[in-house]
Amino acid sequence: MLFLELDHGAVLRKESGRDRPKMVRFVIGNPLIMKEMAKHVPDAGSYAPVTVLVDEREDGVHLSYDRMVSFLSHYANTEALKVAKDLDTKVEALLASAAG
């Protein structure tokens, strides 16, 4: 589910006056997955839904994603980490598919 789309490139382009860079931040997720993590670690709500950044650079298009596991690992909650790992797998598969 797409929650929010932020055109970071528009802000950068205002300064340069050019049509580049192109950079979009997508806030995406599944509320049910967030709920499952937040049941065990309430702070998970501050990390989910997740952010994916798509930006065009000199060497091509880049996809950036911070793994949910990295956000939740210091809580050391096995159940939340299990959900987070599954989420990371799904997001990474989506990104790999999009990158084609």
Side-chain angles (χ1 to χ4, degrees):
M1 170 180 224
L2 176 64
F3 286 94
L4 185 64
E5 183 177 325
L6 302 165
D7 187 353
H8 292 329
V11 175
L12 297 169
R13 290 188 302 270
K14 283 185 182 189
E15 182 177 291
S16 70
R18 294 182 283 176
D19 64 347
R20 292 194 161 182
K22 293 181 180 171
M23 179 184 299
V24 180
R25 179 181 175 192
F26 296 98
V27 179
I28 62 171
N30 181 327
L32 298 175
I33 293 173
M34 185 278 302
K35 176 186 64 99
E36 287 304 310
M37 289 184 294
K39 284 192 317 191
H40 305 289
V41 176
D43 291 354
S46 67
Y47 308 116
V50 300
T51 293
V52 173
L53 184 72
V54 181
D55 69 290
E56 186 177 38
R57 303 179 196 173
E58 294 292 326
D59 63 342
V61 176
H62 291 249
L63 300 171
S64 302
Y65 166 69
D66 290 325
R67 291 177 174 89
M68 187 60 66
V69 167
S70 68
F71 291 128
L72 298 185
S73 62
H74 70 276
Y75 295 99
N77 182 289
T78 306
E79 293 300 317
L81 285 172
K82 181 180 178 208
V83 176
K85 286 177 186 175
D86 185 51
L87 173 61
D88 289 340
T89 299
K90 289 176 182 177
V91 172
E92 290 168 7
L94 174 68
L95 295 179
S97 174

